[in-house]
Amino acid sequence: RAETVLLETLGVAVHGQSFASRAVTQNLAQSYPERVSQLLNVGLLHTSVTGRSGHEPYAPCALDDLRSKGYDYWALGHVHTQEVLCREPWVVFPGNLQGRHARETGEKGAMLVEYDASGIRSAELRSVDVVRYAHCTLDLEDVRDWDAALDGVRPLLVRELAHADGRVLGVRVRVVGSTPLHARLRADEEAFLQNLRVQVQDVARDELWIEKVQIETRPERSSALTPDDSAIAELLSAVAAQRDDQAVLAALAEELGELRSKLPPELREGEEGMRIEDPAFIASALDGAVAILSSRLCVASQPSAAASPAVRAASGVRES
């Protein structure tokens, strides 16, 4: 239940309530105690207020529910991004003290509140994070050269490091654009990531690291999957066609959805979870499959002087 703790030597009354269960969906603010006169009144509440994207609707309430209590300051939990909802009175999500992972980007810290007998004089964020996270986007539109693609990330890293206020920085790189490198990138994301990490050594050896690379490029519109109408091209075109067929994606999602419960939690949960019941996830997986098939089959079909008899035989079958 909601209770009040008096810190009379500080001139503060703190009102708060813990959750009776892991998830509380009732409006707890309405039952909070009335303000204590002659003291600075602070309300503590773990809540989503009117809702926050990506967060469970814990202890939902309206801003007017908080204002109606007459408190001087509301310190809200649950949301890890700093946000000031109101200044009369102060209603604040201070965020967390340290970003826990790369999805929690930017400055992290605590709100320092100064007050006197007349009330709150100021409230400001004080950074206390040790490691900071950032996202950057590498646009490879029409970039054809692998080394040029790698070189393009350097200025992005320099810029993000300049905004890190001297802290160690973890960067997630999102790679976008229509590029001839699409198939190679999708087929060997790990090689691209490792090459980017080499670039980091020249920018900031001990102050920055590449947390992850997300390949979201597209093939060139004018480029075919293979240069002819061979069986390989036909195969790749057939797979790619499923990407835009919503009926096929829905059927695959329904069929594969039964497997989800059989996957271990580490493969089902979190940002990288395999959402095999989701048509959008399957469409993305098909993109990756097409890129891998395009890269590996086309390379395997090109004989060289050093090619093995099996490769030369496979190429002869393809040509015939």
Side-chain angles (χ1 to χ4, degrees), residues 130-141:
V130 177
V131 176
R132 193 163 291 179
Y133 293 98
H135 294 175
C136 66
T137 300
L138 176 63
D139 190 349
L140 297 184
E141 187 74 22

Side-chain angles (χ1 to χ4, degrees), residues 130 132 161-169 207:
V130 177
R132 193 163 291 179
L161 192 62
H163 295 157
D165 299 328
R167 289 163 172 76
V168 175
L169 182 68
E207 299 172 1

Side-chain angles (χ1 to χ4, degrees), residues 12-292:
V12 175
V14 180
H15 314 278
Q17 179 175 354
S18 62
F19 280 16
S21 59
R22 181 182 180 277
V24 173
T25 57
Q26 295 80 30
N27 185 337
L28 299 182
Q30 293 177 335
S31 62
Y32 265 48
E34 297 301 315
R35 67 171 284 115
V36 179
S37 62
Q38 307 302 315
L39 296 178
L40 186 82
N41 285 256
V42 177
L44 301 180
L45 180 59
H46 191 87
T47 177
S48 58
V49 192
T50 55
R52 290 295 180 276
S53 177
H55 293 80
E56 296 294 332
Y58 291 162
C61 64
L63 197 54
D64 283 344
D65 293 327
L66 304 178
R67 288 197 187 104
S68 68
K69 293 301 175 181
Y71 297 170
D72 301 284
Y73 188 95
W74 279 94
L76 307 181
H78 184 40
V79 177
H80 289 188
T81 301
Q82 196 262 354
E83 181 181 1
V84 177
L85 279 64
C86 182
R87 284 179 165 81
E88 293 182 1
W90 285 88
V91 181
V92 180
F93 282 111
N96 49 353
L97 302 178
Q98 168 63 60
R100 301 173 303 162
H101 43 65
R103 297 195 305 278
E104 297 185 344
T105 59
E107 182 181 13
K108 300 294 180 180
M111 293 296 291
L112 176 63
V113 179
E114 296 184 354
Y115 67 97
D116 56 24
S118 63
I120 293 178
R121 295 169 52 194
S122 66
E124 61 179 16
L125 180 68
R126 288 293 180 90
S127 301
V128 300
D129 51 345
V130 177
V131 176
R132 193 163 291 179
Y133 293 98
H135 294 175
C136 66
T137 300
L138 176 63
D139 190 349
L140 297 184
E141 187 74 22
D142 297 327
V143 174
R144 313 184 71 86
D145 182 73
W146 181 266
D147 289 335
L150 292 170
D151 290 341
V153 81
R154 185 188 301 270
L156 302 178
L157 298 180
V158 170
R159 181 192 67 195
E160 295 298 339
L161 192 62
H163 295 157
D165 299 328
R167 289 163 172 76
V168 175
L169 182 68
V171 179
R172 178 171 295 187
V173 179
R174 178 171 170 258
V175 187
V176 302
S178 175
T179 170
L181 297 173
H182 170 74
R184 183 177 177 185
L185 289 167
R186 292 301 300 264
D188 203 351
E189 295 184 23
E190 184 62 25
F192 191 72
L193 170 60
Q194 296 307 326
N195 276 273
L196 286 185
R197 285 177 170 161
V198 171
Q199 294 275 32
V200 168
Q201 302 303 308
D202 296 331
V203 176
R205 181 179 299 272
D206 298 320
E207 299 172 1
L208 186 151
W209 87 97
I210 304 294
E211 179 265 348
K212 178 185 293 185
V213 170
Q214 293 178 317
I215 305 298
E216 300 177 15
T217 54
R218 306 181 309 280
E220 283 186 308
R221 293 180 180 178
S222 60
S223 65
L225 290 172
T226 57
D228 53 32
D229 57 356
S230 66
I232 292 178
E234 185 176 349
L235 168 64
L236 296 177
S237 295
V239 175
Q242 312 307 307
R243 173 67 172 77
D244 300 317
D245 191 325
Q246 295 302 312
V248 170
L249 294 178
L252 282 171
E254 182 177 359
E255 182 174 348
L256 295 174
E258 299 177 5
L259 298 177
R260 191 175 190 279
S261 61
K262 300 179 182 180
L263 293 175
E266 58 268 24
L267 294 183
R268 287 188 281 111
E269 300 172 355
E271 182 185 13
E272 303 300 322
M274 296 179 65
R275 303 181 304 280
I276 55 178
E277 77 289 355
D278 180 1
F281 177 83
I282 295 174
S284 177
L286 283 172
D287 282 342
V290 169
I292 292 172

